[in-house]
């Protein structure tokens, strides 16, 4: 896609979300709507944002359940016509295969490998030994074999993921500008670095949504790519 920036639009008020999306729309390539937005506004909110901006919608729902339930959830969101939907790679091969089979014709299904808020210590606390890199690479291979379109990974892993899966579709969240606050993110890089390393989509939220001038921030980030 010509502009890989997807604005993470997780605002509690629909009118404020629409206003922000419309303001920065000319400088982004799509809108990412996550659990906070979807739980607050549902399908109606998704339609409102899509209609207001005309941009592709990325539903970051991180589906993770038994295969039949995930397939049913994928079918239920056909009406929303998302461009991208996420599932958790840890749900296993059968779940991912069923998710892809149930997705809309033009919907990319990508697997979340490891949340960017986690590090090696967090992995160990959940009973997983090894480095974040190794964990991400294992789940990337599983997602590939399951027939998905790509994965979500941090900017620290995207270069290696791209080398392993040449034609995959890679979503990179947790991006920050040089000198920017990292907040609850632990494995972060700049948008330019992620793009150079093979990211297909750059998910950017707070550096735009919480900027004093969101339009100027979006324009500044776009100019670096």
């Amino acid at each position: 896609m010509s502009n890989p920036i997807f604005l993470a639009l997780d605002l509690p008020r629909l009118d404020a979300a629409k206003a922000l999306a419309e303001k920065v729309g000319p400088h982004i390539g799509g809108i990412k709507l996550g659990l906070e937005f979807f739980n607050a506004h549902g399908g109606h909110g998704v339609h409102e944002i899509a209609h207001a901006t005309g941009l592709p919608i990325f539903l970051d729902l991180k589906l993770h359940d038994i295969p039949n339930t995930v397939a049913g959830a994928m079918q239920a969101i056909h009406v929303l016509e998302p461009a991208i939907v996420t599932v958790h790679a840890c749900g296993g091969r059968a779940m991912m295969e069923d998710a892809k089979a149930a997705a809309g014709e033009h919907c990319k299904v990508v697997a979340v490998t490891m949340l960017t808020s986690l590090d090696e210590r967090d992995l160990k606390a959940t009973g997983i030994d090894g480095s974040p890199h190794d964990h991400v690479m294992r789940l990337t291979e599983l997602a590939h074999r399951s027939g998905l379109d790509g994965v979500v990974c941090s900017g620290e892993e995207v270069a290696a993921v791209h080398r392993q899966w040449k034609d995959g579709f890679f979503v990179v969240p947790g991006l920050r500008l040089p000198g920017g606050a990292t907040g609850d993110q632990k494995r972060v890089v700049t948008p330019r670095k992620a793009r150079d390393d093979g990211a297909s989509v750059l998910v950017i939220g707070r550096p735009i949504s919480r900027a004093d001038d969101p339009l100027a921030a979006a324009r500044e980030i776009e100019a670096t790519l």
Side-chain angles (χ1 to χ4, degrees):
M1 52 188 62
S2 57
N3 187 333
I5 299 172
F6 272 58
L7 173 64
L9 196 63
D10 286 323
L11 300 180
R13 288 176 43 207
L14 183 56
D15 57 348
K18 284 176 61 178
L20 177 59
E22 289 174 325
K23 177 181 289 186
V24 304
H27 300 285
I28 61 177
I31 302 288
K32 186 202 81 105
L33 302 174
L35 285 174
E36 183 177 353
F37 182 96
F38 195 75
N39 286 337
H41 308 296
H44 167 72
V46 176
H47 279 304
E48 287 286 306
I49 296 297
H51 178 73
T53 64
L55 292 170
I57 298 296
F58 168 14
L59 283 183
D60 187 20
L61 302 182
K62 298 184 177 72
L63 300 175
H64 188 179
D65 212 311
I66 63 173
N68 186 64
T69 297
V70 169
M74 292 295 294
Q75 291 171 342
I77 60 176
H78 279 191
V79 67
L80 303 178
E81 300 183 319
I84 309 168
V85 175
T86 49
V87 301
H88 265 292
C90 289
R93 182 167 183 167
M95 188 206 76
M96 288 191 279
E97 289 175 340
D98 285 7
K100 181 58 182 175
E105 181 181 359
H106 303 294
C107 176
K108 292 186 183 297
V109 181
V110 296
V112 175
T113 53
M114 180 177 169
L115 300 175
T116 51
S117 60
L118 303 179
D119 59 18
E120 186 167 345
R121 185 166 49 184
D122 297 311
L123 279 185
K124 190 173 183 62
T126 61
I128 299 173
D129 292 325
S131 68
H133 178 274
D134 291 344
H135 185 58
V136 168
M137 298 309 290
R138 283 193 300 269
L139 292 176
T140 295
E141 177 60 25
L142 180 60
H144 194 184
R145 287 190 278 112
S146 301
L148 296 198
D149 297 285
V151 297
V152 183
C153 65
S154 86
E156 290 188 357
E157 295 97 30
V158 69
V161 166
H162 187 232
R163 285 193 297 271
Q164 177 173 303
W165 189 350
K166 296 296 186 184
D167 60 347
F169 185 85
F170 307 122
V171 176
V172 177
L175 299 169
R176 295 292 185 267
L177 297 176
T182 59
D184 56 359
Q185 306 290 338
K186 294 180 180 177
R187 294 163 23 252
V188 301
V189 301
T190 65
R192 175 76 259 180
K193 171 66 171 168
R195 185 63 166 166
D196 287 345
D197 285 346
S200 310
V201 162
L202 307 172
V203 176
I204 301 174
R206 282 169 276 189
I208 294 176
S209 64
R210 297 189 183 179
D212 292 335
D213 185 342
L215 178 59
R219 188 184 294 121
E220 177 186 350
I221 294 170
E222 182 189 26
T224 68
L225 302 177

